[in-house]
Amino acid sequence: MCKINNLRIPGKALFLLGLILMMLILPVSAATVEENAEAITKNTEDIAGVQTALTVVWLILCGGIVFLMHAGFSLVEIGLTRVKNTTNILMKNFMTVCLGIVVYWVMGWAIMYGADYAGIIGIDQFFMSGVDNSIWTSWWFQMVFAATGATIVSGAMAERTSFKAYLIYTVLMVGLIYPVYGHWVWSGAGILTTGPIVDAIGVGYHDFAGSSVVHMIGGFSALAGVLLVGPRIGKFRSGKPVVIPGHSLPLAFLGTLILAFGWVGFNGGSTLNGNDPYIGLVIANTFLAAGAGAIMVLLITWMKTGKPDPSLTANGMLAGLVAITAPCGSVASWAAVVIGLIAGIIVYAGVMFNEYTLKLDDPVGAIAVHGYSGAWGILSVGIFAIGQGNGIFADAAYTAAGAGLLYGGTQQFMIQVVGLIMAIIWAFVISYVIFKIHDAVMAFREPEEDEIAGLDIKEHGMSAYPEFVLAE
């Protein structure tokens, strides 16, 4: 018996009262728990939906920023070449984008991301047939990368290359040369990320955003084209290079800054995740290398000639950007600065080597900026990468798996060397063969009289600046 304030309550009655209360409370509690569980599930689904939407928007936005880089390439190229070829260069770059969109839809995506055959090539999804609706965001982001390689070739071969011949080569670059190597690196089933080579070395090849896939492929394809097409008339006198000034440094510098802005999408978007916690660090590394590259070239040219060279300094910034494109998601910020500084040395030495030793005529320095600096970017992964599970990018899925030489690793460096050699051989050899066959069927170089007069009038029947053209 229980006694409360002198009120005596029999024990049996107290037990029955408690039982009644429990029967009244328990259904309410069960319902509440069930409702809470449903609310938690719905909130989780809502959060996941927002995260997915954010990633889709991030990739579309970054793709748009990369698309704008074609305007940057156009301005750099016309700024560093002569006024009589401005319209021709603008048309080449414009049609590179237009052809690139269609060709990547027809076959580029299929070869790069279709069902794998022997680790070499994709064999389905031509015309994007059979793809899920979710794939189109990825297609858009990858397509804007694809045309960039051909644009690199355009600048290196400017002022003497046939417009028709260039358009045909663009189709082959976007539809075959670029996507085959891209399949090796980015498809997840290619020979540089899985299979015998990787098994033998112990770690997969790493190119975060395209130092090799985009820039080396474009740069060493350009080297093949420049070797075949030869220098512009008047570029070399008695074996020594002659400076042929571009007609507008303001346009060249504006184009350089637009390209630099494009790397926000180029590298930042390559996280492929709008919710990634390291996007800021990836972009910071990118621009630390860019600034360091420009500073290094400024200092070199200032010390060697007594005056800082504007166009080479601008190329120093681009070289830093190209070099950091592969390692930006795998290295510390101090390493990004070092990578940029060395890229500045490489681009300056590369331009001098091309002109004075190889006697190559590259009006915009594309081979040194994209080819040589891209190669340095690939090697720098094997030197400076912190390694997956370590340091600041410890839980990032896209960081290099192996540690670099500075952190005691050797495997990552080894696979990077293999991938670099394969990129050079594939881009240079296949492009040279294509250029050679193409030249035999349709002359790749314009006739001497048309080159002297300028390609604007011959190819397109108009000048970019008609008010400055004197009547005949």
Side-chain angles (χ1 to χ4, degrees):
M1 179 177 293
C2 177
K3 183 177 179 181
I4 302 175
N5 294 332
N6 297 319
L7 176 66
R8 297 177 180 272
I9 301 176
K12 290 183 179 180
L14 185 63
F15 173 77
L16 290 173
L17 179 62
L19 186 63
I20 293 170
L21 289 173
M22 288 177 63
M23 292 176 64
L24 292 173
I25 293 171
L26 280 176
V28 175
S29 299
T32 302
V33 170
E34 185 176 347
E35 290 174 1
N36 289 340
E38 290 177 356
I40 291 171
T41 300
K42 186 176 184 304
N43 287 341
T44 301
E45 291 173 351
D46 289 344
I47 291 170
V50 170
Q51 290 175 332
T52 300
L54 181 60
T55 293
V56 169
V57 171
W58 173 243
L59 289 179
I60 291 173
L61 175 62
C62 286
I65 295 173
V66 175
F67 186 86
L68 184 63
M69 291 176 73
H70 291 283
F73 277 115
S74 298
L75 293 174
V76 167
E77 290 174 29
I78 65 175
L80 296 179
T81 53
R82 290 167 290 187
V83 66
K84 61 184 179 180
N85 297 303
T86 301
T87 300
N88 179 256
I89 291 171
L90 289 173
M91 281 294 290
K92 283 180 180 177
N93 281 276
F94 183 76
M95 290 311 302
T96 296
V97 178
C98 296
L99 285 170
I101 294 169
V102 177
V103 172
Y104 200 71
W105 170 74
V106 171
M107 60 187 292
W109 170 272
I111 290 174
M112 194 163 175
Y113 290 106
D116 173 70
Y117 177 77
I120 302 296
I121 195 170
I123 56 174
D124 69 356
Q125 299 185 11
F126 291 90
F127 296 93
M128 299 298 288
S129 62
V131 302
D132 185 84
N133 282 338
S134 62
I135 296 297
W136 286 104
T137 301
S138 296
W139 175 85
W140 157 251
F141 186 69
Q142 296 298 334
M143 179 277 296
V144 293
F145 275 63
T148 303
T151 300
I152 294 167
V153 178
S154 167
M157 300 174 65
E159 299 201 290
R160 73 271 203 202
T161 306
S162 162
F163 183 66
K164 293 178 184 176
Y166 172 77
L167 294 183
I168 294 173
Y169 176 75
T170 296
V171 172
L172 294 171
M173 168 61 91
V174 178
L176 178 66
I177 300 173
Y178 168 82
V180 166
Y181 188 78
H183 183 83
W184 298 353
V185 179
W186 285 345
S187 69
I191 54 176
L192 284 172
T193 56
T194 187
I197 297 175
V198 176
D199 292 341
I201 294 176
V203 70
Y205 180 74
H206 181 78
D207 184 357
F208 176 68
S211 287
S212 62
V213 177
V214 177
H215 298 285
M216 281 186 67
I217 293 300
F220 283 96
S221 294
L223 175 60
V226 169
L227 282 170
L228 181 66
V229 79
R232 292 168 292 175
I233 296 170
K235 176 60 182 177
F236 294 97
R237 294 178 188 169
S238 302
K240 294 183 179 181
V242 175
V243 176
I244 301 178
H247 83 276
S248 177
L249 270 178
L251 290 180
F253 268 79
L254 177 60
T256 300
L257 293 174
I258 290 175
L259 285 174
F261 171 68
W263 253 271
V264 172
F266 211 93
N267 288 359
S270 291
T271 60
L272 302 180
N273 183 359
N275 308 281
D276 186 86
Y278 301 112
I279 290 174
L281 182 54
V282 164
I283 293 174
N285 280 348
T286 299
F287 284 88
L288 285 169
I295 291 168
M296 178 55 76
V297 177
L298 173 86
L299 295 175
I300 292 173
T301 57
W302 208 336
M303 288 187 294
K304 289 187 72 68
T305 67
K307 298 181 186 299
D309 185 280
S311 61
L312 282 173
T313 300
N315 271 344
M317 170 175 274
L318 296 179
L321 290 164
V322 168
I324 198 62
T325 296
C328 61
S330 302
V331 302
S333 57
W334 67 265
V337 174
V338 174
I339 291 167
L341 291 172
I342 296 175
I345 297 171
I346 289 172
V347 75
Y348 176 81
V351 169
M352 298 300 111
F353 177 72
N354 285 348
E355 291 198 352
Y356 287 90
T357 303
L358 299 182
K359 311 299 181 188
L360 298 179
D361 181 15
D362 177 358
V364 301
I367 297 169
V369 168
H370 300 278
Y372 303 161
S373 299
W376 161 238
I378 291 303
L379 291 179
S380 69
V381 174
I383 298 171
F384 298 99
I386 298 172
Q388 209 162 62
N390 300 315
I392 50 177
F393 290 103
D395 59 345
Y398 49 75
T399 197
L405 296 177
L406 289 182
Y407 295 90
T410 58
Q411 294 173 316
Q412 193 68 55
F413 185 79
M414 291 170 62
I415 192 68
Q416 296 303 114
V417 172
V418 171
L420 180 150
I421 293 171
M422 290 176 67
I424 293 174
I425 292 174
W426 171 251
F428 181 83
V429 173
I430 194 68
S431 293
Y432 192 83
V433 170
I434 289 171
F435 283 133
K436 199 71 176 175
I437 295 172
H438 200 165
D439 191 52
V441 176
M442 177 192 301
F444 219 84
R445 181 162 185 153
E446 292 284 6
E448 183 175 315
E449 61 272 19
D450 294 328
E451 182 182 341
I452 293 172
L455 302 185
D456 286 2
I457 301 300
K458 190 269 178 183
E459 291 275 21
H460 310 285
M462 63 179 65
S463 169
Y465 308 101
E467 62 270 32
F468 295 110
V469 178
L470 299 176
E472 185 174 351

